[in-house]
Structure formats: structure tokens, C-alpha cells
Amino acid sequence: MQTRIKELRVEHDLTQAAIAKAIGITQRKYSYIETQTQSLNDELICKLAKYYGVSADYILMLSDSKETK
């Protein structure tokens, strides 16, 4: 899960600070999520999926398809 969100961030050439601001958390908290120090909650999974335009299943690594249904 955290690996997937880092891949998405790097793929979109974005900083942790930019993503954190977009989803309403601090850069530090986002960093903890990427490094698996903290877990993603349902709300953040949904916010990230919406931000990147991918499915929650993709974020959760339950699917390799980025398409939303």
C-alpha cells in the first residue's frame, strides 16, 4: 500500500508536501505513511484515490488496474 502511493507520487513528479496539502495532512504524517510508520485509514485511501484518479483497490494493491469502476 505505501509502496504504491510512493510510486504514484514519483510517477506524477510531486513532493510529499504537495500531496499532503492536497489531502489535508502534514508532510510529516504523509512521510510516516510512505515509510509505513503509520497506516493509511479509509478516509486517506479515498482521498488519495480521488486525487490520483485511481481505484481504492489500486491504492490497496488489490488490483493492478488504475481504472475506477
Side-chain angles (χ1 to χ4, degrees):
M1 185 167 18
Q2 286 77 12
T3 302
R4 181 74 39 99
I5 65 169
K6 183 174 182 178
E7 288 173 6
L8 283 166
R9 181 179 61 78
V10 171
E11 182 180 305
H12 287 84
D13 197 29
L14 296 165
T15 63
Q16 288 182 345
I19 299 300
K21 183 176 181 179
I23 63 172
I25 61 173
T26 65
Q27 182 275 327
R28 179 175 288 193
K29 181 173 177 98
Y30 186 84
S31 175
Y32 288 159
I33 292 167
E34 264 195 15
T35 60
Q36 301 180 21
T37 304
Q38 288 186 4
S39 299
L40 274 171
N41 61 34
D42 294 345
E43 180 183 2
L44 292 178
I45 292 167
C46 291
K47 285 182 178 183
L48 286 165
K50 184 175 180 178
Y51 182 82
Y52 286 117
V54 299
S55 68
D57 284 351
Y58 184 77
I59 297 283
L60 294 168
M61 297 178 70
L62 298 173
S63 170
D64 289 330
S65 174
K66 292 181 183 180
E67 294 181 24
T68 59
K69 294 180 181 179

